[in-house]
Amino acid sequence: MNDQPQKLSTRLGRAIREEISALILQRGLRSGDPLPTETELVEALGVSRNSIREALKGLQALDIVDIRHGHGTYVGGLSLEPLADGLTFRVLHGLRNDMRSLEEIVEVREALEEALIRRVTPTIPETDLDALDEVLALMSARAAAGATFADEDMQFHELLYRSLDNALVTQLLRAFWSVYQRVNHRLGVTDPDPPETVNRHRAIVTALRGRDVARAEKAMAEHFRNLDVRIAQVARQQQVMD
C-alpha cells in the first residue's frame, strides 16, 4: 500500500502548525490574544481552510491555541497539561507490565526537587516559611480527621520554590504531580499513613528554618521514600487486579 500521500499530508500539517506558531511569535501575541481569522490565515499561508482547521486542532491539543467556537481562536494557556496527559497514559500503559514507568516519574520529580531544595534553602523568605506552616496546619488537621490532603500537599511543594520566581518550575511540578495523582486515583491508591506524611513535610520546613542545606536534602529524600511505599502499594494493587 502506498503511504506516500499520508506522509505528504503529515509533513504539510506540521509545516502549517509551525507557520502559525511562528506567526504568534513574530507578532508577540500573548496567552488570550486573538489570532487572525481562518480566512486571514488561508490568505497568509496559501493553504486550504480545511488544512488550517486541522493545524489549529493540532495546536489546540498542545495548548498553543484555544479554539472558542462562535468567538474565534486565541493564543492558548501554553501550559504543560498536554505533557501531563501524555505521561499519564505512558505510566498507565507501562503498568500493564511492571512498575518501572511510575518509578521513573517519581525519580525525575525527586531529582528536580532535591536540586531545587538545595538552591532555595539559604534564601527562602520568612513569609514563605510562615505560609508553609499554615499549609502544614491544614494538612495535620485533615490527617487527624482521617481525610486526604492532596491539594494542600501540592500547594506545599509550590510554596517551597515560590521565591525562585520560575514559572516553568511550577508547571513541571504540577505536571508530575498531576500524573502521580491521576494514576493513584485510577488504581484506588491512598496514602497509607497521612500523619507520617505530615511529619515528613514538617521536617522539610524545620530544615529550611535552620538554613541547613544538608538537613533539607535529607528531609526531602525521606519524603520521597514515603512515595516509594505508595509505589509498593500500587504494585500490590496491580497484582490483585491481575
Side-chain angles (χ1 to χ4, degrees):
M1 181 177 179
N2 186 3
D3 60 353
Q4 191 64 26
Q6 180 63 40
K7 290 181 179 179
L8 290 173
S9 176
T10 299
R11 285 200 293 269
L12 176 61
R14 183 181 302 113
I16 298 172
R17 290 194 297 271
E18 290 174 355
E19 289 281 353
I20 295 173
S21 297
L23 181 149
I24 292 172
L25 295 174
Q26 291 166 2
R27 298 191 180 185
L29 301 179
R30 298 178 179 274
S31 180
D33 286 348
L35 264 67
T37 65
E38 281 187 4
T39 300
E40 290 170 336
L41 289 173
V42 166
E43 294 175 354
L45 303 183
V47 295
S48 69
R49 187 178 297 272
N50 187 59
S51 295
I52 291 293
R53 288 177 177 173
E54 290 302 313
L56 289 174
K57 288 179 182 177
L59 292 173
Q60 184 178 39
L62 298 174
D63 201 21
I64 293 176
V65 305
D66 177 18
I67 302 172
R68 305 176 191 174
H69 296 289
H71 297 279
T73 303
Y74 300 78
V75 179
L78 310 179
S79 72
L80 296 185
E81 190 66 22
L83 172 65
D85 291 341
L87 287 174
T88 299
F89 180 80
R90 180 181 185 276
V91 171
L92 290 171
H93 187 270
L95 287 178
R96 298 185 307 171
N97 300 314
D98 56 41
M99 300 304 301
R100 188 57 190 148
S101 58
L102 182 57
E103 291 171 348
E104 287 172 347
I105 290 292
V106 174
E107 286 173 5
V108 172
R109 183 184 159 198
E110 180 177 5
L112 175 63
E113 292 215 45
E114 287 187 356
L116 291 171
I117 203 71
R118 286 195 299 272
R119 184 174 177 184
V120 80
T121 299
T123 59
I124 186 169
E126 289 294 328
T127 52
D128 286 359
L129 290 171
D130 292 341
L132 287 167
D133 280 336
E134 292 176 5
V135 175
L136 275 173
L138 292 173
M139 292 168 67
S140 183
R142 292 186 65 81
T148 59
F149 43 81
D151 291 343
E152 290 80 5
D153 200 341
M154 182 176 70
Q155 184 183 4
F156 179 94
H157 285 268
E158 290 187 6
L159 281 170
L160 278 178
Y161 314 114
R162 181 170 64 179
S163 61
L164 297 178
D165 193 25
N166 187 319
L168 183 57
V169 163
T170 300
Q171 289 192 19
L172 280 171
L173 288 174
R174 286 177 182 172
F176 288 126
W177 177 265
S178 176
V179 173
Y180 189 79
Q181 291 301 316
R182 288 189 210 177
V183 171
N184 282 351
H185 179 73
R186 179 77 173 266
L187 299 177
V189 175
T190 58
D191 188 345
D193 192 349
E196 178 58 23
T197 298
V198 175
N199 289 337
R200 291 179 188 239
H201 284 77
R202 184 172 288 112
I204 294 172
V205 177
T206 299
L208 289 172
R209 284 200 176 276
R211 308 295 175 180
D212 189 329
V213 176
R215 189 176 177 186
E217 285 182 297
K218 182 179 179 180
M220 184 61 73
E222 287 297 320
H223 167 270
F224 277 94
R225 297 296 70 76
N226 189 43
L227 295 187
D228 290 343
V229 173
R230 296 199 205 181
I231 290 177
Q233 186 183 2
V234 173
R236 290 193 297 271
Q237 179 71 14
Q238 282 295 96
Q239 290 174 356
V240 171
M241 292 172 64
D242 293 341

